[in-house]
Amino acid sequence: MMSQKIKSRIRFLRNSEELFDYFPPCILPTEYGGNIPEADIKDWIRRANREHENFKLRGQPNYY
């Protein structure tokens, strides 16, 4: 179903240690064995959506 060009761009890894063959630990989150702590921005997005009404320029809110 996929062209050879697309197939050559996709990698299926058996475990998270294989990520280190492609990415250094300094750019991976800790859940994948990297050094970046988990960044949960869901609370920030919820607060921004609540304050959405206070701004004159309106866009479509993110619903989480």
Side-chain angles (χ1 to χ4, degrees), residues 6-25:
I6 298 297
K7 287 180 184 178
S8 68
R9 293 178 180 179
I10 297 173
R11 303 278 186 249
F12 292 98
L13 306 176
R14 290 184 293 270
N15 54 47
S16 60
E17 285 80 28
E18 290 183 24
L19 281 173
F20 301 135
D21 295 336
Y22 301 95
F23 304 101

Side-chain angles (χ1 to χ4, degrees), residues 11 17 28 42 47 58 60:
R11 303 278 186 249
E17 285 80 28
L28 293 172
K42 290 178 187 174
R47 187 173 63 247
R58 297 188 186 253
Q60 199 163 13

Side-chain angles (χ1 to χ4, degrees), residues 16 19-20 23-37:
S16 60
L19 281 173
F20 301 135
F23 304 101
C26 64
I27 66 166
L28 293 172
T30 54
E31 65 183 302
Y32 297 112
N35 301 331
I36 297 177

Side-chain angles (χ1 to χ4, degrees), residues 41-51 62 64:
I41 62 169
K42 290 178 187 174
D43 292 332
W44 180 87
I45 292 173
R46 286 186 187 113
R47 187 173 63 247
N49 284 333
R50 280 194 305 270
E51 296 174 7
N62 297 315
Y64 288 97

